[in-house]
Amino acid sequence: MSLLQVDKLGVTYPGQSQPALHQVSLSLARDELLVALGPSGCGKSTLLGVLAGFIAPSQGRVLFAGQPVTAPGVERAVVFQHDALLPWLNVHDNVAFGLKLQGADAAARERIVADTLRLVGLADVATKRTWQLSGGMRQRVGIARALASRSQVLLLDEPFGALDAFTREQMQQLLLRVWQQSQRGVFLITHDIEEALFLATELVLMSPGPGRIVQRLRPTFNQRYRAGEDVRAIKSDPAFIALRESLLHSLFRQGHEEAA
Ligand SMILES: Nc1ncnc2c1ncn2[C@@H]1O[C@H](COP(=O)(O)OP(=O)(O)OP(=O)(O)O)[C@@H](O)[C@H]1O
Ligand SMILES: [Mg+2]
């Protein structure tokens, strides 16, 4: 069964004549990694905001486990486009923060935090303050915090956008490991075509004016990576390059149509 179900969603911000989202339908199951790809302003963060319960639909509906989403909830954890860590807390306490609010007992909390920090490779820096970390480490703290909560879905808004190419590729592989081990549905936003193709079990290409889905793909590169194939071999495979170029072409065409 789908964890998240979006039917004919429309969002128009107050005072705007053009909708930010129009007739967007999609679903996310527990074993899926759904990627929304599209240029700036096509409504990706708006869509994530609706899934998270921060923004109310103007049309259509959004269901989580069959129930309408009307507010944020612990079952839907968010990693923001710009990290939202608490600078006065160390890495351990940032990851434990949500669990504390949820009233988890101390022993359970310590076990979950230790396991999660190990999973994202941050066990050695647990007592550091977040401002002492690199950008990639900060993003891992954000992901660890989302994982440590009792979430069933992770909503990730462009989580690797500010990272260098090498760190970004490492983070993509980390995300696949985490997704596989944690058995959660992941909704990921990106404007990086390679990232989208490599990670997605389902990929939706979005277009602005109004924000909508213009293409859907089910790439298999994620499966190939999990079956043991090397990441560079996958990304330089002619099938990968052909899809990458086709998506790039679609994005450029969108740009021309908008400029016309
Ligand atoms: N609070 C708001 N009030 C009015 N308009 C908004 C608001 N937030 C976003 N918009 C508009 O809605 C459209 C979609 O914005 P959104 O932030 O969802 O795009 P995005 O795809 O996430 O872009 P980016 O890749 O730059 O993050 C844009 O035209 C934006 O200007
Ligand atoms: Mg955005």
Side-chain angles (χ1 to χ4, degrees):
M1 192 185 97
S2 295
L3 280 175
L4 274 171
Q5 179 77 39
V6 177
D7 291 323
K8 298 189 174 153
L9 171 68
V11 172
T12 305
Y13 284 106
Q16 303 292 312
S17 52
Q18 173 124 278
L21 290 175
H22 177 67
Q23 294 270 322
V24 170
S25 295
L26 46 86
S27 68
L28 175 69
R30 190 176 297 281
D31 57 353
E32 276 183 312
L33 204 162
L34 173 63
V35 176
L37 171 72
S40 184
C42 73
K44 303 182 297 295
S45 294
T46 302
L47 175 57
L48 184 135
V50 178
L51 299 179
F54 303 141
I55 299 170
S58 314
Q59 276 103 37
R61 56 179 200 164
V62 177
L63 304 176
F64 177 81
Q67 298 300 314
V69 168
T70 54
V74 289
E75 70 285 353
R76 286 164 282 125
V78 180
V79 177
F80 293 96
Q81 193 161 5
H82 305 288
D83 77 58
L85 305 177
L86 306 170
W88 62 93
L89 297 179
N90 67 24
V91 169
H92 171 284
D93 293 350
N94 262 280
V95 175
F97 188 75
L99 289 169
K100 249 187 195 164
L101 289 185
Q102 289 163 30
D105 75 73
R109 202 167 65 212
E110 286 313 310
R111 187 171 36 78
I112 294 169
V113 172
D115 286 350
T116 312
L117 287 178
R118 213 171 305 120
L119 179 63
V120 300
L122 290 177
D124 292 347
V125 295
T127 56
K128 286 214 161 142
R129 298 299 171 99
T130 55
W131 45 263
Q132 294 175 298
L133 306 179
S134 71
M137 288 163 125
R138 292 170 66 89
Q139 282 300 356
R140 278 186 277 162
V141 178
I143 291 171
R145 191 168 57 180
L147 279 173
S149 68
R150 277 182 287 138
S151 57
Q152 296 177 50
V153 172
L154 303 184
L155 306 172
L156 312 175
D157 193 348
E158 193 72 47
F160 314 137
L163 305 178
D164 66 87
F166 177 70
T167 310
R168 189 169 187 140
E169 194 155 279
Q170 286 189 320
M171 293 294 291
Q172 292 168 1
Q173 294 172 71
L174 171 80
L175 180 67
L176 287 184
R177 260 200 319 278
V178 162
W179 167 69
Q180 218 178 350
Q181 288 186 22
S182 73
Q183 297 275 300
R184 291 179 228 210
V186 171
F187 175 75
L188 174 103
I189 287 173
T190 185
H191 51 236
D192 185 292
I193 298 175
E194 277 203 0
E195 182 164 290
L197 274 175
F198 178 60
L199 294 176
T201 56
E202 179 171 9
L203 193 166
V204 294
L205 179 67
M206 295 178 66
S207 177
R212 63 203 187 279
I213 294 174
V214 290
Q215 202 176 331
R216 293 171 194 265
L217 298 174
R218 286 200 167 270
T220 55
F221 305 107
N222 162 332
Q223 270 171 34
R224 283 170 51 178
Y225 175 75
R226 285 184 290 133
E229 206 171 324
D230 173 70
V231 56
R232 292 309 330 155
I234 293 172
K235 289 186 179 179
S236 54
D237 184 310
F240 188 94
I241 293 169
L243 270 175
R244 187 189 72 197
E245 292 305 306
S246 148
L247 284 168
L248 196 59
H249 183 74
S250 299
L251 282 168
F252 274 124
R253 206 175 48 219
Q254 282 181 28
H256 282 306
E257 278 167 14
E258 231 184 285

